[in-house]
Amino acid sequence: MKKLLIPILILAVVGIFIYTKAVGTYNTFVQAEEQVSGQWAEVETQYQRRADLIPNLVNTVKGYADFEQETLTGVIEARSKATSINVDANNLSPENLQQFQQAQEQLSGALSRLLVTVERYPDLKANQNFLDLQAQLEGTENRIAVARRNFNQEVVAYNTTLRTFPNNLFAGWYGFETKGKFEAAAGAENAPTVEF
């Protein structure tokens, strides 16, 4: 009887250890995934803030300037495309993030063209409403950069947790997959040319 009790006791201890490790690892994955989802929500909030400011900016510019319709149309279309692409926090694959990022980059480019074109309208540049909107837009762009950086940090922590041993064994069992990150836009490594 004593010979049978020792192997049963050893199996019970090993079983309890594996069970607690598996549960602890699963809970760690869930917590890390929730951190990524929460940070993704912050990124979306900042992009939505920018999208909400754009109609006010466009209307202010339109009201003050005999403006190039093509530039305004480009901003409106880019905003429409950027707000139509939604990425679910549960599906933050590199491909989905790249599609989302490309639409946002098109909107950023259209806004840049709009602000450069405004330079030709001194009355508009001095208008307080325009200056306020421009400052809000600049602040929003900074918030977007911070939210994206924080999101990438959470994704790195999550992916590291998933890929380290022995967590990588449990990640496959539980169905957790690595998440995609924001990457620099093509050509971002080149400094912009400034001409006077």
Side-chain angles (χ1 to χ4, degrees), residues 118-191:
V118 162
E119 293 295 318
R120 288 186 254 168
Y121 298 94
D123 291 342
L124 175 61
K125 289 190 321 187
N127 176 274
Q128 190 59 45
N129 290 337
F130 177 74
L131 294 175
D132 290 345
L133 284 168
Q134 194 174 14
Q136 285 184 30
L137 198 56
E138 181 181 327
T140 300
E141 292 298 324
N142 289 336
R143 289 177 184 185
I144 289 170
V146 168
R148 286 174 54 158
R149 184 195 69 218
N150 292 344
F151 172 77
N152 279 351
Q153 288 173 343
E154 291 296 336
V155 168
V156 166
Y158 173 81
N159 288 347
T160 301
T161 300
L162 252 60
R163 296 181 62 216
T164 55
F165 183 80
N167 293 348
N168 58 349
L169 301 174
F170 292 107
W173 293 345
Y174 295 137
F176 287 95
E177 296 178 357
T178 58
K179 307 283 187 193
K181 298 179 290 220
F182 279 104
E183 297 177 7
E189 69 279 359
N190 302 323

Side-chain angles (χ1 to χ4, degrees), residues 74-86:
V75 170
I76 293 166
E77 288 174 359
R79 177 190 179 269
S80 176
K81 183 175 181 182
T83 56
S84 70
I85 296 177
N86 294 318

Side-chain angles (χ1 to χ4, degrees), residues 12-177:
V13 168
V14 170
I16 290 171
F17 174 76
I18 291 173
Y19 175 77
T20 55
K21 178 65 177 165
V23 168
T25 301
Y26 179 81
N27 290 340
T28 300
F29 292 160
V30 169
Q31 290 168 352
E33 190 171 54
E34 286 302 314
Q35 289 287 96
V36 169
S37 296
Q39 198 55 54
W40 177 248
E42 179 61 25
V43 169
E44 288 183 316
T45 298
Q46 297 309 324
Y47 277 120
Q48 185 61 50
R49 176 180 157 80
R50 177 173 72 172
D52 292 344
L53 285 173
I54 289 171
N56 295 331
L57 181 67
V58 168
N59 287 334
T60 301
V61 170
K62 197 186 295 184
Y64 254 84
D66 178 21
F67 215 82
E68 290 84 355
Q69 193 61 37
E70 181 182 330
T71 303
L72 290 174
T73 303
V75 170
I76 293 166
E77 288 174 359
R79 177 190 179 269
S80 176
K81 183 175 181 182
T83 56
S84 70
I85 296 177
N86 294 318
V87 177
D88 182 20
N90 295 323
N91 192 12
L92 294 172
S93 68
E95 297 81 24
N96 288 344
L97 277 178
Q98 184 179 22
Q99 182 183 17
F100 179 84
Q101 188 174 351
Q102 285 173 346
Q104 295 300 332
E105 287 170 5
Q106 287 176 353
L107 179 56
S108 294
L111 282 172
S112 296
R113 286 189 296 280
L114 173 69
L115 295 175
V116 166
T117 307
V118 162
E119 293 295 318
R120 288 186 254 168
Y121 298 94
D123 291 342
L124 175 61
K125 289 190 321 187
N127 176 274
Q128 190 59 45
N129 290 337
F130 177 74
L131 294 175
D132 290 345
L133 284 168
Q134 194 174 14
Q136 285 184 30
L137 198 56
E138 181 181 327
T140 300
E141 292 298 324
N142 289 336
R143 289 177 184 185
I144 289 170
V146 168
R148 286 174 54 158
R149 184 195 69 218
N150 292 344
F151 172 77
N152 279 351
Q153 288 173 343
E154 291 296 336
V155 168
V156 166
Y158 173 81
N159 288 347
T160 301
T161 300
L162 252 60
R163 296 181 62 216
T164 55
F165 183 80
N167 293 348
N168 58 349
L169 301 174
F170 292 107
W173 293 345
Y174 295 137
F176 287 95
E177 296 178 357

